[in-house]
Amino acid sequence: MSEQKEFKSVSDFFGCNVFSDTVMRERLPKNVYKSVLKTKTLGIALDQDVADVVANAMKDWAVEKGATHYTHWFQPMTGVTAEKHDAFITPTSDGNVIIEFSGKELIKGEPDASSFPSGGLRATFEARGYTAWDPTSCAFIKDNSLYIPTAFCSYTGEILDKKTPLLRSMEVVSEQALRILRLFGNDKATRVTTTVGPEQEYFLVDKKYYDMREDLILTGRTLFGAKPPKGQELEDHYFGNIKQRVSDYMKDLDEELWKLGIYAKTKHNEVAPAQHELAPIFTTSNIAADHNQLTMEIMKKIALKHGLVCLLHEKPFAGVNGSGKHNNWSMSSNDGQNLLDPGDTPQDNLQFLTFLCAIIKGVHEYAPLLRLSAASAGNDHRLGANEAPPAVVSMFIGSELEAVIEALESGTKVASIADKEFIIGVDALPNFPKDTTDRNRTSPFAFTGNKFEFRMLGSADSISCTNTILNTVVAQELCEFADQLENADDFEKSLNALLVKTIKEHKQIIFNGNGYSDEWIDEAVNVRHLPNLVSTVDALPQYTRPEFVSMFEKFKVYTPTEIASRTEILLENYSKVINIEALTMLDMAKKLIIPACISYTKSVCDAAASKIAVGISASVEKNLASKLSSLTEGIVNAVDSLDEKVIAAQGQEEGEPMARFYRNEVFSQMQTLRAIVDETEMCVSSDIWPLPSYSDLLFSI
Ligand code: ADP
Ligand code: MG
């Protein structure tokens, strides 16, 4: 009973730590509130005096909630967020302090940028950078600080973060989508927003075991570990009932996220043992990106409270599924339409098909960009490695839509679909099933009724890069369409011709079959000529292809220098990750695994000797000791060779050559070492083996 009394409805505390629209309406003078609203919805910059009023209200609100500090919260190229906290205090002449926060401090911060990755930008330009408030994403309170979402740039204007390009891409796609809407006679909509709902997968392990594994602590994944007797083959974990400890964690997590105004909605067990998923309700892309960063951070923090560790690495365990992040993406106009919803009228249908064709063309022409947006050392264990979507980008649109596209191309009627006959632009399209019956789970880019789901992202990735690319690519195609159609004498005729041409030229990106099969990869590469960029090292150099660079430049999303610097940062990051993993393996092998092998061999030999001393045959012990001895020798050799390769890697030319060396030489030697260590684990007593086993990690909660 007492528990029921304490129960508070979610709506009572949802967003209680957010300086939300409601709070602003309550606390700001009407005219100030109106100008902030304009900034938020129309992307207009805020004046200084308005900023002062907002800053003061924000500070009062934050202080009432116990905040003592504020921080400009930003997303440098490290992939995680960064923050530097300043107290609200200003000294007074009598030696006391007053609590102050000005519009200037709200709008601009000046963290020392020199230690963030900049890919050579800082060497040639200024060492300093500044952060600028993004008023479209709400400030919030966490751990007694007021967090102000900000963009991060260098003083000469080069962007150093992941938020700025995303915001720019949202502007350009809005602009181009509006041109298309105008062509369809829409003069009401003034803005098109891209929306995202990222589904987040993760693992939970017991902290007690985590703490015993240097590999998990330093690299986020197990670098050694023999397969457990049971994996995911029984498929009993997916959507299975949630264990009490995990359920308590999820409940706590939901509450923390709700307080921060994050629409945590769905939670369930995933395919692999100890793997789970959280999906929020979708929202505007940049807010979704901020919220996803916060979600990942809070997931880790709350886990510790429960004696758990949340692993966001794409492949914490070999042999069981890794974790991804599905980026559900759509576009909506501020007159209330989801532009990727087929709609009910012929007019809506035609508009939908126009957007659809633009996306098909974009995904086909810019597939390498989408692929590289999901490229990382961690995600290489998934994409192109017999798991999750393949490294080949293709699109799934479902059989209904494919029939429509085919009919459009051939100028025929679509034979009865869902008992309806229709001609494009004349009759209504059928209602596409939005349930899970017609879902292709192997496709990297799937239409799911009123949105696309991009499934390549890794669980630890920021969603910003993918959405920046997606938005810019779609803007590019819509711009090309609009350029042609705006000058057409007969709109419908030209549109029809444009759509048919687009389908003819780009339909090879559409694939509704099984994306995991070897036949598909063969067909994709050899028949359809789709790029198969297997690893990060293959994908990243594509960034700087001239046609890609000029697209980003045309829409002012990235300058050529910014793209070059990003490519450099990402390649360097890849090399660093593999280097850390290799060094961790060496450390563990030398200090834990080899000594354990030696001591176990000794105890087996001792056992043999004592048997022989009393005249009993010791053939079992002798065989085991000799097997252990040769396995240990194998480990030592593999360690020596890895040592040499790590040293050789340092001598490679930085950038792509070094990254390639790490992949081809260091990473492959790591796999050799791992294989022999895992084989040895199966021969050594678990009392002596120095690491918790996969069974401990995956099945102990
Ligand atoms: P599934 O696992 O079947 O793909 P989920 O319900 O787990 O489905 O996730 C679907 C995600 O797509 C949710 O985050 C949801 O909010 C999001 N979504 C739904 N509609 C849109 C939209 N118009 N734009 C972006 N995301 C959307
Ligand atoms: Mg999904």
Side-chain angles (χ1 to χ4, degrees):
M1 270 319 268
S2 67
E3 226 175 57
Q4 257 183 1
K5 255 190 220 156
E6 280 169 27
F7 180 79
K8 272 213 286 183
S9 151
V10 178
S11 58
D12 291 340
F13 65 88
F14 185 85
C16 65
N17 290 337
V18 182
F19 193 71
S20 63
D21 194 56
T22 322
V23 179
M24 277 199 278
R25 205 170 347 157
E26 278 167 17
R27 290 181 172 246
L28 294 176
K30 225 182 192 147
N31 59 330
V32 173
Y33 171 69
K34 271 192 183 153
S35 12
V36 177
L37 209 61
K38 258 194 203 154
T39 325
K40 282 174 80 92
T41 52
L42 298 171
I44 294 167
L46 206 62
D47 326 329
Q48 182 72 46
D49 27 331
V50 172
D52 276 330
V53 181
V54 180
N56 198 48
M58 229 185 230
K59 180 232 9 178
D60 287 345
W61 170 81
V63 169
E64 279 165 33
K65 293 202 159 271
T68 51
H69 289 68
Y70 69 92
T71 178
H72 278 203
W73 181 66
F74 57 102
Q75 297 166 25
M77 290 300 295
T78 53
V80 289
T81 56
E83 49 195 70
K84 183 188 105 191
H85 300 256
D86 281 303
F88 284 121
I89 54 170
T90 307
T92 54
S93 53
D94 58 358
N96 212 326
V97 291
I98 49 165
I99 302 298
E100 249 185 0
F101 186 49
S102 68
K104 217 173 115 213
E105 289 167 305
L106 165 65
I107 288 182
K108 202 164 174 179
E110 300 186 25
D112 180 1
S114 57
S115 293
F116 290 106
S118 74
L121 282 179
R122 267 190 337 268
T124 42
F125 302 97
E126 264 262 25
R128 288 188 316 159
Y130 69 90
T131 51
W133 181 35
D134 164 20
T136 63
S137 181
C138 294
F140 56 91
I141 293 176
K142 194 164 68 70
D143 302 325
N144 299 94
S145 274
L146 171 69
Y147 280 70
I148 302 156
T150 51
F152 179 40
C153 311
S154 77
Y155 262 98
T156 39
E158 284 81 15
I159 47 175
L160 297 171
D161 72 343
K162 299 195 177 208
K163 183 191 263 282
T164 316
L166 178 60
L167 290 171
R168 290 182 185 170
S169 75
M170 289 168 68
E171 290 301 313
V172 298
V173 76
S174 172
E175 216 171 282
Q176 301 306 325
L178 284 173
R179 287 175 71 192
I180 300 290
L181 292 183
R182 297 285 179 265
L183 286 165
F184 280 92
N186 181 332
D187 51 15
K188 288 200 304 280
T190 52
R191 188 163 182 89
V192 169
T193 317
T194 48
T195 51
V196 175
E199 298 162 57
Q200 176 73 49
E201 292 182 338
Y202 61 99
F203 279 87
L204 287 177
V205 296
D206 198 310
K207 185 160 187 307
K208 163 178 91 198
Y209 293 126
Y210 172 91
D211 285 338
M212 293 162 74
R213 296 211 48 141
E214 190 182 347
D215 48 3
L216 283 178
I217 294 171
L218 296 184
T219 73
R221 74 178 182 103
T222 54
L223 299 169
F224 300 108
K227 284 197 178 59
K230 178 183 179 208
Q232 64 190 47
E233 55 283 272
L234 293 179
E235 291 167 346
D236 52 353
H237 196 254
Y238 188 58
F239 284 9
N241 64 12
I242 301 172
K243 290 192 180 130
Q244 193 57 48
R245 203 164 154 208
V246 174
S247 165
D248 291 345
Y249 162 77
M250 288 175 164
K251 180 171 167 286
D252 239 15
L253 174 62
D254 278 339
E255 281 186 18
E256 277 313 302
L257 295 176
W258 290 334
K259 285 186 203 162
L260 290 167
I262 297 171
Y263 303 112
K265 168 89 174 165
T266 310
K267 50 187 179 186
H268 60 80
N269 286 351
E270 258 301 329
V271 175
Q275 191 185 32
H276 313 281
E277 180 181 298
L278 180 146
I281 298 170
F282 70 94
T283 180
T284 318
S285 312
N286 69 315
I287 295 171
D290 286 357
H291 281 181
N292 184 248
Q293 291 292 340
L294 266 177
T295 301
M296 291 194 284
E297 184 191 319
I298 308 250
M299 276 178 153
K300 291 190 195 159
K301 188 171 130 184
I302 301 289
L304 295 176
K305 280 195 187 166
H306 292 259
L308 300 166
V309 175
C310 171
L311 303 177
L312 291 174
H313 193 282
E314 282 79 10
K315 192 75 175 177
F317 305 100
V320 298
N321 269 17
S323 301
K325 176 140 56 194
H326 292 174
N327 190 82
N328 294 275
W329 174 92
S330 190
M331 306 163 80
S332 62
S333 54
N334 64 347
D335 62 340
Q337 301 180 65
N338 175 350
L339 303 180
L340 298 187
D341 195 321
D344 301 322
T345 66
Q347 182 75 359
D348 288 347
N349 290 171
L350 204 53
Q351 182 183 300
F352 162 73
L353 287 172
T354 307
F355 282 102
L356 178 72
C357 285
I359 296 168
I360 291 172
K361 183 169 184 286
V363 173
H364 187 215
E365 290 180 334
Y366 298 95
L369 285 177
L370 288 168
R371 165 65 184 92
L372 74 84
S373 78
S376 68
N379 218 16
D380 276 0
H381 298 281
R382 300 173 64 241
L383 307 178
N386 295 320
E387 190 186 318
V392 177
V393 177
S394 68
M395 274 172 99
F396 168 83
I397 59 170
S399 47
E400 290 84 1
L401 213 45
E402 197 173 29
V404 171
I405 294 279
E406 274 166 12
L408 185 60
E409 184 191 358
S410 58
T412 54
K413 285 186 174 188
V414 180
S416 166
I417 291 174
D419 301 324
K420 261 192 208 168
E421 190 156 299
F422 66 96
I423 310 166
I424 302 305
V426 180
D427 296 331
L429 291 184
N431 283 323
F432 299 114
K434 286 170 196 165
D435 58 29
T436 50
T437 50
D438 188 27
R439 289 243 182 140
N440 180 322
R441 302 232 165 232
T442 66
S443 176
F445 203 99
F447 183 67
T448 48
N450 58 3
K451 60 181 161 46
F452 275 98
E453 182 169 353
F454 179 59
R455 301 205 179 102
M456 281 188 153
L457 277 179
S459 46
D461 283 333
S462 153
I463 63 169
S464 298
C465 177
T466 282
N467 288 293
T468 301
I469 287 172
L470 197 50
N471 294 346
T472 313
V473 162
V474 172
Q476 159 73 21
E477 304 300 355
L478 293 175
C479 173
E480 219 180 291
F481 279 17
D483 285 347
Q484 289 181 44
L485 296 170
E486 280 167 359
N487 296 318
D489 298 329
D490 182 335
F491 172 67
E492 286 223 358
K493 227 168 121 190
S494 310
L495 178 63
N496 196 64
L498 176 66
L499 297 185
V500 170
K501 179 170 176 278
T502 306
I503 293 165
K504 279 199 165 70
E505 288 171 2
H506 301 287
K507 67 180 175 190
Q508 68 257 45
I509 193 75
I510 298 169
F511 174 65
N512 288 341
N514 177 9
Y516 291 175
S517 70
D518 293 340
E519 295 78 35
W520 161 238
I521 301 302
D522 184 50
E523 179 187 332
V525 174
N526 298 315
V527 182
R528 302 190 186 211
H529 308 295
L530 302 177
N532 182 19
L533 302 165
V534 176
S535 76
T536 297
V537 186
D538 303 314
L540 286 179
Q542 299 278 319
Y543 224 161
T544 48
R545 265 166 62 171
E547 66 270 37
F548 298 165
V549 174
S550 60
M551 172 185 71
F552 287 121
E553 201 180 12
K554 168 176 161 192
F555 289 107
K556 299 191 166 60
V557 171
Y558 293 121
T559 63
T561 322
E562 285 164 354
I563 293 183
S565 82
R566 253 146 234 259
T567 311
E568 194 182 305
I569 291 170
L570 293 167
L571 281 166
E572 190 181 292
N573 180 266
Y574 175 86
S575 298
K576 283 181 181 165
V577 168
I578 305 290
N579 189 52
I580 292 169
E581 290 186 347
L583 294 178
T584 307
M585 274 189 124
L586 288 169
D587 204 49
M588 291 170 78
K590 290 179 196 173
K591 294 183 187 156
L592 294 174
I593 292 165
I594 296 171
C597 291
I598 292 171
S599 92
Y600 187 52
T601 313
K602 178 175 186 301
S603 72
V604 175
C605 288
D606 289 349
S610 47
K611 270 173 131 187
I612 292 163
V614 294
I616 305 174
S617 149
S619 60
V620 171
E621 290 78 0
K622 277 177 157 171
N623 285 342
L624 181 56
S626 115
K627 186 171 180 190
L628 284 167
S629 192
S630 76
L631 283 168
T632 311
E633 204 179 318
I635 294 175
V636 170
N637 290 339
V639 161
D640 288 346
S641 167
L642 184 56
D643 250 333
E644 281 163 22
K645 293 195 167 175
V646 168
I647 292 165
Q650 307 303 317
Q652 304 300 309
E653 186 192 331
E654 275 179 23
E656 195 187 333
M658 184 182 276
R660 219 168 260 292
F661 187 90
Y662 269 106
R663 171 154 180 95
N664 296 341
E665 301 295 328
V666 179
F667 182 69
S668 62
Q669 184 57 30
M670 284 163 57
Q671 284 172 305
T672 307
L673 172 59
R674 176 177 186 146
I676 185 155
V677 169
D678 291 356
E679 191 188 339
T680 312
E681 183 184 345
M682 301 303 286
C683 304
V684 174
S685 157
S686 51
D687 293 339
I688 287 180
W689 193 252
L691 303 168
S693 70
Y694 264 32
S695 293
D696 295 332
L697 289 163
L698 289 167
F699 295 100
S700 64
I701 295 172

